[in-house]
Amino acid sequence: MSSIFNRIFQYRQREQRTPREDYFTETFVAVIEKYDELRIALAAWLSEVEDIRSVRIETQQWFTVADSGDSRRPDIWMEAKDVHGARHWIIVENKIDSGERKGQLTDYAKILKAEPRLESRNLVYITKYSSETVSYSHDGVKSKHLRWPQVYDFLQEKLQDASDCRELAKELLKLMEDWNMDGALNVAHLRAAVTCFDSKVGEMLQGLLGDAMTDSGIKAILDNKMNGKRWARSFGDRWVDVPGYGIAFWIGFRFDRRDKNWNVEDIELPSPFVAVNPIKENREVGERLPQPSDHWVGPWKVEKMNDKYKWVRQPVEGEIPRLGEPLGEFYKKFFQEALVELKLALEGIG
């Protein structure tokens, strides 16, 4: 059997996924592979099948969806055999930072349904926090939605019952704790929330956005096209539909951004962003909006951003605040540059 470290090295970041998800998937499977009893117990728990005798577990397994011909690669595929020799398939989709992609779970259910001579077909969707997902029920396929804290509790319970030394599995639990996948709420989390929702901080962020919009000149041209609509606001965000341009406009701060260029858990700062998308009224005008500059990208290149956006601008590699740089100046400069680019693009479509 290949080294656990070689197994983890072979992971590849996938489109519309985060490095954390791919890394964790490979680490999780590499550890589970090392312990027969733990692997069998996990398969029995996920499938709700007793008397499991053996389990094969793999990542990056390609399947073809029969009715569409599309290729799909579930995060984890498991084949369990019970004491009677019957086969049970389990497909697991792991989500930590990103969201469910359109048709993804339905296609997994179709893959399970198409495999002949299975005693049970099981589709498991595991998320970090959310308890809701699009329905993915399918005839003959059992579906289960779990949160990673539930998996953490399961593993912890099994390790307590184990008599042998399972240091790698214990390290896996520590990784889940480091990434807040254990579901534990502590004082530090609550203190951070208090700071985040401090009304004074929100007022300062709103003032910064207002200054940048006025100084860039975009507020005046948007106000002129809003047909009486008013700006909506939340903590550090502003958004509005602008029918005259056929767009919806967002500007604010992302507290959920976790990618190679800006990870809020590492630098402890929210990421600024500006986004636009076409809307129903005068949508054809919004669809003509060109890419404001090379700094703006489509939603397929932005993790955890709504795929309805036409163009998104946020800091990229090398654009994080420098040590000692006033944060207000950093954010205002970013917003002003982005808004000037957007203003010129809007003027181009009239």
Side-chain angles (χ1 to χ4, degrees):
M1 185 179 292
S2 178
S3 161
I4 183 173
F5 302 109
N6 185 59
R7 173 62 177 270
I8 297 171
F9 173 77
Q10 293 181 61
Y11 92 91
R12 295 292 184 269
Q13 182 179 345
R14 309 180 203 174
E15 184 179 358
Q16 295 183 318
R17 294 183 57 82
T18 70
R20 289 161 59 94
E21 285 172 350
D22 287 326
Y23 180 85
F24 182 79
T25 296
E26 294 296 339
T27 302
F28 179 81
V29 171
V31 171
I32 296 299
E33 260 192 332
K34 295 296 179 182
Y35 306 106
D36 291 340
E37 291 183 9
L38 191 58
R39 189 167 65 253
I40 289 172
L42 178 65
W45 180 54
L46 296 178
S47 65
E48 300 179 0
V49 173
E50 298 180 354
D51 300 325
I52 297 295
R53 180 186 62 189
S54 63
V55 178
R56 177 184 170 193
I57 181 169
E58 293 184 7
T59 62
Q60 304 186 64
Q61 177 85 293
W62 285 102
F63 295 92
T64 299
V65 183
D67 60 352
S68 65
D70 293 338
S71 295
R72 286 289 194 181
R73 182 171 58 176
D75 289 324
I76 302 172
W77 168 83
M78 304 172 73
E79 181 178 77
K81 292 184 179 179
D82 60 30
V83 294
H84 305 292
R87 297 161 61 229
H88 307 265
W89 272 23
I90 306 165
I91 285 180
V92 178
E93 181 63 15
N94 160 36
K95 297 296 184 186
I96 298 177
D97 296 325
S98 64
E100 178 185 343
R101 298 197 297 277
K102 184 178 180 180
Q104 182 180 30
L105 298 178
T106 299
D107 282 350
Y108 292 164
K110 292 177 181 179
I111 291 168
L112 289 165
K113 183 68 174 177
E115 179 64 18
R117 297 182 297 279
L118 291 180
E119 185 67 20
S120 72
R121 299 167 172 84
N122 306 273
L123 178 55
V124 182
Y125 184 55
I126 310 180
T127 59
K128 190 174 180 180
Y129 298 122
S130 174
S131 59
E132 297 181 0
T133 184
V134 175
S135 174
Y136 52 93
S137 60
H138 206 283
D139 290 342
V141 177
K142 292 190 296 182
S143 63
K144 177 181 290 190
H145 183 199
L146 298 172
R147 294 187 304 113
W148 277 111
Q150 294 173 273
V151 180
Y152 175 90
D153 291 342
F154 168 81
L155 294 175
Q156 190 175 55
E157 179 184 355
K158 293 303 176 183
L159 291 177
Q160 288 176 347
D161 296 338
S163 58
D164 60 336
C165 180
R166 299 186 177 183
E167 290 302 322
L168 285 176
K170 293 176 183 177
E171 288 297 322
L172 176 62
L173 291 178
K174 291 180 182 178
L175 175 63
M176 295 178 75
E177 292 166 5
D178 290 341
W179 287 6
N180 299 321
M181 298 172 69
D182 59 341
L185 182 65
N186 58 40
V187 174
H189 295 149
L190 296 177
R191 285 174 179 160
V194 169
T195 301
C196 174
F197 292 103
D198 186 310
S199 60
K200 294 180 181 178
V201 176
E203 291 172 2
M204 293 172 65
L205 294 180
Q206 286 290 349
L208 189 152
L209 292 180
D211 291 344
M213 292 176 64
T214 300
D215 293 347
S216 68
I218 198 171
K219 186 175 186 299
I221 70 166
L222 290 179
D223 287 347
N224 187 48
K225 296 278 190 175
M226 282 164 52
N227 294 354
K229 288 184 175 290
R230 304 187 65 175
W231 292 89
R233 301 182 183 188
S234 64
F235 186 89
D237 289 331
R238 293 190 185 192
W239 65 96
V240 70
D241 290 350
V242 189
Y245 280 116
I247 62 166
F249 171 84
W250 272 265
I251 181 172
F253 299 85
R254 293 187 59 192
F255 292 83
D256 65 341
R257 185 178 177 187
R258 295 177 178 84
D259 57 48
K260 64 180 181 179
N261 295 324
W262 191 298
N263 188 327
V264 295
E265 290 186 0
D266 293 337
I267 66 176
E268 298 181 330
L269 294 172
S271 169
F273 80 96
V274 183
V276 293
N277 68 277
I279 55 175
K280 294 180 180 179
E281 190 173 352
N282 294 327
R283 184 185 182 93
E284 69 282 359
V285 178
E287 293 285 4
R288 295 203 307 269
L289 179 68
Q291 184 180 12
S293 77
D294 291 341
H295 298 294
W296 293 72
V297 297
W300 58 90
K301 290 189 176 181
V302 183
E303 296 167 359
K304 294 194 71 176
M305 289 292 279
N306 196 317
D307 60 8
K308 68 182 180 182
Y309 295 140
K310 182 176 179 64
W311 300 115
V312 179
R313 172 82 142 88
Q314 60 181 6
V316 295
E317 185 177 7
E319 287 189 304
I320 65 174
R322 295 186 297 272
L323 183 63
E325 179 180 6
L327 293 177
E329 292 300 316
F330 167 81
Y331 286 125
K332 187 174 180 179
K333 179 181 177 183
F334 168 82
F335 285 124
Q336 283 184 329
E337 290 178 354
L339 293 175
V340 167
E341 293 166 350
L342 180 58
K343 174 176 174 287
L344 294 174
L346 289 171
E347 289 174 339
I349 63 172

Short mmCIF file of all heavy atoms in Angstrom, two decimals, residues 8 41 45 55 66 80 86 102 136 140-141 176 204 221 223-224 227-228 236 253-254 297-299 317 325 331 337 344:
data_model
loop_
_atom_site.label_atom_id
_atom_site.label_comp_id
_atom_site.label_asym_id
_atom_site.label_seq_id
_atom_site.Cartn_x
_atom_site.Cartn_y
_atom_site.Cartn_z
N ILE A 8 -1.58 11.80 -0.06
CA ILE A 8 -2.02 13.18 0.09
C ILE A 8 -1.41 14.07 -0.99
O ILE A 8 -2.06 14.96 -1.51
CB ILE A 8 -1.66 13.70 1.50
CG1 ILE A 8 -2.42 12.88 2.56
CG2 ILE A 8 -1.98 15.17 1.64
CD1 ILE A 8 -1.96 13.16 3.97
N ALA A 41 -16.35 0.36 10.27
CA ALA A 41 -17.33 1.05 11.12
C ALA A 41 -17.90 2.27 10.40
O ALA A 41 -19.10 2.56 10.49
CB ALA A 41 -16.67 1.47 12.43
N TRP A 45 -21.81 2.85 9.34
CA TRP A 45 -22.54 4.03 9.84
C TRP A 45 -23.17 4.83 8.70
O TRP A 45 -24.34 5.22 8.76
CB TRP A 45 -21.59 4.91 10.64
CG TRP A 45 -22.21 6.15 11.21
CD1 TRP A 45 -23.32 6.22 12.00
CD2 TRP A 45 -21.75 7.50 11.03
NE1 TRP A 45 -23.58 7.53 12.33
CE2 TRP A 45 -22.63 8.34 11.75
CE3 TRP A 45 -20.67 8.07 10.35
CZ2 TRP A 45 -22.47 9.73 11.80
CZ3 TRP A 45 -20.51 9.45 10.40
CH2 TRP A 45 -21.40 10.26 11.12
N VAL A 55 -14.15 -3.30 3.18
CA VAL A 55 -14.48 -2.02 2.55
C VAL A 55 -13.32 -1.57 1.67
O VAL A 55 -12.16 -1.57 2.11
CB VAL A 55 -14.76 -0.92 3.61
CG1 VAL A 55 -15.04 0.42 2.91
CG2 VAL A 55 -15.92 -1.31 4.50
N ALA A 66 -25.09 8.12 -17.23
CA ALA A 66 -25.59 7.42 -18.42
C ALA A 66 -26.44 8.30 -19.32
O ALA A 66 -26.25 8.33 -20.54
CB ALA A 66 -26.38 6.18 -17.99
N ALA A 80 -18.57 -1.58 -0.05
CA ALA A 80 -18.55 -2.44 1.13
C ALA A 80 -19.20 -3.78 0.78
O ALA A 80 -20.15 -3.84 -0.01
CB ALA A 80 -19.30 -1.79 2.28
N ALA A 86 -22.83 -9.60 -0.35
CA ALA A 86 -23.59 -8.56 -1.05
C ALA A 86 -22.79 -7.26 -1.08
O ALA A 86 -22.07 -6.94 -0.15
CB ALA A 86 -24.94 -8.34 -0.37
N LYS A 102 -24.74 22.79 -9.38
CA LYS A 102 -26.02 22.42 -9.99
C LYS A 102 -25.97 21.01 -10.56
O LYS A 102 -25.10 20.66 -11.35
CB LYS A 102 -26.36 23.42 -11.09
CG LYS A 102 -27.73 23.18 -11.72
CD LYS A 102 -28.04 24.24 -12.76
CE LYS A 102 -29.40 23.99 -13.40
NZ LYS A 102 -29.72 25.03 -14.42
N TYR A 136 -32.02 15.63 -3.28
CA TYR A 136 -31.35 14.75 -4.23
C TYR A 136 -31.86 13.32 -4.09
O TYR A 136 -31.14 12.36 -4.29
CB TYR A 136 -29.82 14.81 -4.04
CG TYR A 136 -29.33 14.58 -2.63
CD1 TYR A 136 -28.96 13.31 -2.19
CD2 TYR A 136 -29.23 15.64 -1.74
CE1 TYR A 136 -28.49 13.12 -0.90
CE2 TYR A 136 -28.78 15.44 -0.45
CZ TYR A 136 -28.41 14.18 -0.03
OH TYR A 136 -27.96 13.98 1.25
N GLY A 140 -34.51 4.15 -5.21
CA GLY A 140 -33.52 3.11 -4.97
C GLY A 140 -32.23 3.58 -4.36
O GLY A 140 -31.32 2.78 -4.11
N VAL A 141 -32.09 4.89 -4.12
CA VAL A 141 -30.87 5.45 -3.54
C VAL A 141 -31.21 6.09 -2.18
O VAL A 141 -32.08 6.95 -2.10
CB VAL A 141 -30.24 6.51 -4.46
CG1 VAL A 141 -29.01 7.13 -3.80
CG2 VAL A 141 -29.86 5.88 -5.80
N MET A 176 -9.26 18.54 12.23
CA MET A 176 -10.66 18.96 12.20
C MET A 176 -10.92 20.04 13.25
O MET A 176 -11.70 20.97 13.02
CB MET A 176 -11.57 17.75 12.40
CG MET A 176 -11.49 16.73 11.27
SD MET A 176 -12.53 15.26 11.53
CE MET A 176 -14.15 15.96 11.17
N MET A 204 -18.11 52.58 10.38
CA MET A 204 -16.86 52.97 9.74
C MET A 204 -16.74 52.34 8.34
O MET A 204 -16.31 52.99 7.39
CB MET A 204 -15.67 52.55 10.61
CG MET A 204 -15.58 53.31 11.92
SD MET A 204 -14.31 52.65 13.02
CE MET A 204 -12.83 53.00 12.09
N ILE A 221 -23.68 58.41 -11.25
CA ILE A 221 -24.25 57.84 -12.48
C ILE A 221 -25.21 56.70 -12.15
O ILE A 221 -26.18 56.47 -12.88
CB ILE A 221 -23.16 57.39 -13.47
CG1 ILE A 221 -22.41 56.15 -12.98
CG2 ILE A 221 -22.19 58.50 -13.78
CD1 ILE A 221 -21.59 55.50 -14.07
N ASP A 223 -27.09 56.52 -9.29
CA ASP A 223 -28.28 57.18 -8.77
C ASP A 223 -29.17 57.70 -9.90
O ASP A 223 -30.40 57.66 -9.82
CB ASP A 223 -27.89 58.34 -7.86
CG ASP A 223 -27.32 57.88 -6.52
OD1 ASP A 223 -27.48 56.68 -6.21
OD2 ASP A 223 -26.75 58.71 -5.79
N ASN A 224 -28.56 58.17 -10.96
CA ASN A 224 -29.30 58.73 -12.10
C ASN A 224 -30.07 57.66 -12.87
O ASN A 224 -31.00 57.98 -13.61
CB ASN A 224 -28.32 59.44 -13.04
CG ASN A 224 -29.02 60.19 -14.15
OD1 ASN A 224 -29.97 60.93 -13.89
ND2 ASN A 224 -28.57 59.99 -15.37
N ASN A 227 -34.06 54.75 -11.12
CA ASN A 227 -35.53 54.85 -11.24
C ASN A 227 -36.23 54.85 -9.89
O ASN A 227 -37.24 54.17 -9.67
CB ASN A 227 -36.08 53.69 -12.09
CG ASN A 227 -35.63 53.77 -13.53
OD1 ASN A 227 -34.99 54.74 -13.95
ND2 ASN A 227 -35.95 52.74 -14.30
N GLY A 228 -35.67 55.59 -8.94
CA GLY A 228 -36.31 55.72 -7.63
C GLY A 228 -35.96 54.64 -6.63
O GLY A 228 -36.36 54.71 -5.47
N GLY A 236 -21.37 46.42 6.50
CA GLY A 236 -20.26 46.55 5.55
C GLY A 236 -20.60 46.23 4.11
O GLY A 236 -19.71 46.03 3.29
N PHE A 253 -17.72 43.63 1.86
CA PHE A 253 -16.62 42.85 2.43
C PHE A 253 -17.04 41.40 2.59
O PHE A 253 -18.14 41.10 3.03
CB PHE A 253 -16.23 43.42 3.80
CG PHE A 253 -15.76 44.84 3.75
CD1 PHE A 253 -16.68 45.90 3.80
CD2 PHE A 253 -14.42 45.14 3.66
CE1 PHE A 253 -16.26 47.22 3.76
CE2 PHE A 253 -13.98 46.46 3.61
CZ PHE A 253 -14.91 47.50 3.66
N ARG A 254 -16.12 40.50 2.22
CA ARG A 254 -16.36 39.07 2.38
C ARG A 254 -15.65 38.58 3.64
O ARG A 254 -14.43 38.67 3.75
CB ARG A 254 -15.84 38.30 1.16
CG ARG A 254 -16.60 38.57 -0.12
CD ARG A 254 -16.11 37.64 -1.22
NE ARG A 254 -16.26 36.25 -0.83
CZ ARG A 254 -15.71 35.23 -1.47
NH1 ARG A 254 -14.93 35.46 -2.52
NH2 ARG A 254 -15.90 34.00 -1.06
N VAL A 297 -13.20 39.25 -13.00
CA VAL A 297 -13.30 37.89 -13.53
C VAL A 297 -14.75 37.41 -13.45
O VAL A 297 -15.57 37.99 -12.74
CB VAL A 297 -12.40 36.89 -12.77
CG1 VAL A 297 -10.94 37.27 -12.91
CG2 VAL A 297 -12.79 36.81 -11.29
N GLY A 298 -15.03 36.34 -14.19
CA GLY A 298 -16.34 35.71 -14.11
C GLY A 298 -16.46 34.90 -12.83
O GLY A 298 -15.45 34.56 -12.20
N PRO A 299 -17.67 34.53 -12.43
CA PRO A 299 -17.89 33.85 -11.15
C PRO A 299 -17.26 32.47 -11.07
O PRO A 299 -16.99 31.97 -9.99
CB PRO A 299 -19.42 33.77 -11.05
CG PRO A 299 -19.89 33.82 -12.47
CD PRO A 299 -18.93 34.74 -13.17
N GLU A 317 -3.55 37.74 -5.92
CA GLU A 317 -2.22 37.50 -5.35
C GLU A 317 -1.39 38.78 -5.32
O GLU A 317 -1.30 39.51 -6.30
CB GLU A 317 -1.50 36.43 -6.17
CG GLU A 317 -0.16 36.01 -5.59
CD GLU A 317 0.50 34.92 -6.39
OE1 GLU A 317 -0.04 34.57 -7.46
OE2 GLU A 317 1.53 34.40 -5.96
N GLU A 325 0.51 49.20 6.82
CA GLU A 325 -0.31 50.02 5.93
C GLU A 325 -1.66 50.30 6.59
O GLU A 325 -2.32 49.38 7.08
CB GLU A 325 -0.53 49.30 4.60
CG GLU A 325 -1.38 50.07 3.61
CD GLU A 325 -1.56 49.31 2.30
OE1 GLU A 325 -1.12 48.15 2.22
OE2 GLU A 325 -2.14 49.88 1.36
N TYR A 331 -8.36 49.66 1.85
CA TYR A 331 -9.69 49.34 1.34
C TYR A 331 -10.22 50.44 0.41
O TYR A 331 -10.79 50.15 -0.64
CB TYR A 331 -10.66 49.14 2.51
CG TYR A 331 -10.48 47.83 3.25
CD1 TYR A 331 -10.26 47.82 4.62
CD2 TYR A 331 -10.54 46.61 2.58
CE1 TYR A 331 -10.10 46.62 5.31
CE2 TYR A 331 -10.38 45.41 3.25
CZ TYR A 331 -10.16 45.41 4.62
OH TYR A 331 -10.01 44.23 5.30
N GLU A 337 -10.34 52.19 -7.21
CA GLU A 337 -9.82 51.68 -8.48
C GLU A 337 -10.85 50.79 -9.17
O GLU A 337 -11.08 50.89 -10.38
CB GLU A 337 -8.53 50.90 -8.23
CG GLU A 337 -7.36 51.78 -7.82
CD GLU A 337 -6.10 50.96 -7.54
OE1 GLU A 337 -6.19 49.71 -7.56
OE2 GLU A 337 -5.04 51.57 -7.32
N LEU A 344 -16.33 53.36 -16.06
CA LEU A 344 -15.98 53.48 -17.48
C LEU A 344 -16.68 52.43 -18.32
O LEU A 344 -17.13 52.71 -19.45
CB LEU A 344 -14.46 53.38 -17.64
CG LEU A 344 -13.64 54.53 -17.02
CD1 LEU A 344 -12.15 54.24 -17.13
CD2 LEU A 344 -13.98 55.85 -17.71
#
